[in-house]
Amino acid sequence: MADDRNVQRADARRNRQDLLAAAGQLIVERGTDFPMKDVATRAGLGVGTLYRHFRDRHDLFAALAAEAAARQNAIALTALTAPTGWDAIAHYLDGCVALYAELPWMLTMRAEYRYMRLPDDAEVDAGQEIVDRAHREGALRPDAGIVDIALAGTMLAGMTFLPEPVRTAMIPRLRDIILDGLHTNRGDLTAPTSTGLTAEELTAEELTDIARAQISASQGSPQRQHH
């Protein structure tokens, strides 16, 4: 009996992951506006199985958001183990690009769904620790903060939508340009005309607008209107 229960639990976990993967594929293809039954069809499962795992669209998207947050948190926590604060910033940017390449639905979710608009508290704490460490070491320019690092990661990740060979050529180049601009030894550059934003000052609506603009630019199409 115990073995049967273990098999059932393993099947349930696999079904849940298959449903989340199917939802992610549909988001990339259609945005967040699609019938729930299409998720079950894409996963090769019945609608009843879908609703046993997720009560509604809200529940499904919340699960995707939780998965993304957990992965982002892991990137930030791993970055904290880097030898220096500057290495941690580079690791975080590289991790963001790798994550968005693996889970391309994240950019659309950040633009279109409420639960993806603001970073998780744990990620903010880890990110702030990375920034503080780089500041203490004198590697990160004094006016750069956590929002700059976070949006730099999202901006680079948005480039994963570029076609090849542009993607492979441009992402490493833009990464190096961003890192060069963030470092204290960046050279005699013109001072920025505006000050940075704190995590508290950057609103959910502003993050949403930024992500929507990235999607529009990367897809080369007008932004979709929702009613």
Side-chain angles (χ1 to χ4, degrees):
M1 292 295 292
D3 288 344
D4 290 342
R5 285 194 296 271
N6 289 337
V7 170
Q8 290 172 354
R9 284 194 291 268
D11 287 343
R13 287 193 296 269
R14 183 169 57 250
N15 288 343
R16 178 183 172 85
Q17 287 306 118
D18 288 347
L19 289 165
L20 289 174
Q25 293 169 9
L26 290 170
I27 289 169
V28 172
E29 296 168 11
R30 308 183 200 173
T32 56
D33 186 15
F34 50 80
M36 284 286 284
K37 65 181 180 60
D38 289 1
V39 177
T41 300
R42 179 65 64 92
L45 298 168
V47 174
T49 301
L50 170 65
Y51 284 106
R52 278 196 295 274
H53 286 277
F54 308 106
R55 293 166 296 179
D56 50 28
R57 181 184 303 272
H58 171 101
D59 204 24
L60 174 63
F61 287 173
L64 282 172
E67 177 182 349
R71 297 287 295 276
Q72 293 254 212
N73 290 346
I75 290 170
L77 291 173
T78 301
L80 285 174
T81 67
T84 68
W86 184 249
D87 289 335
I89 289 174
H91 179 95
Y92 181 79
L93 293 182
D94 292 343
C96 286
V97 173
L99 180 59
Y100 276 73
E102 182 181 350
L103 305 176
W105 50 263
M106 283 182 59
L107 192 61
T108 303
M109 283 280 285
R110 285 195 182 278
E112 296 191 15
Y113 198 67
R114 184 177 306 276
Y115 287 94
M116 296 294 291
R117 290 179 181 175
L118 292 174
D120 181 89
D121 288 343
E123 184 186 349
V124 171
D125 291 342
Q128 189 62 58
E129 188 173 343
I130 290 170
V131 168
D132 291 345
R133 182 182 175 196
H135 277 150
R136 288 194 301 270
E137 294 170 359
L140 180 64
R141 54 190 286 178
D143 62 337
I146 182 173
V147 171
D148 299 304
I149 306 304
L151 289 183
T154 302
M155 181 177 69
L156 279 174
M159 298 298 101
T160 58
F161 281 91
L162 291 171
E164 291 290 8
V166 179
R167 178 169 65 242
T168 298
M170 289 307 301
I171 289 179
R173 173 177 170 78
L174 291 174
R175 169 200 184 270
D176 290 345
I177 290 172
I178 288 170
L179 287 173
D180 183 67
L182 289 170
H183 202 280
T184 52
N185 295 329
R186 62 193 183 281
D188 188 15
L189 301 179
T190 302
T193 57
S194 62
T195 59
L197 293 171
T198 66
E200 292 75 20
E201 292 170 333
L202 194 63
T203 66
E205 288 74 20
E206 287 167 331
L207 279 172
T208 300
D209 290 342
I210 290 167
R212 280 183 176 156
Q214 286 181 320
I215 290 174
S216 179
S218 63
Q219 293 179 342
S221 60
Q223 295 179 21
R224 300 187 325 155
Q225 297 297 318
H226 296 276
H227 303 286

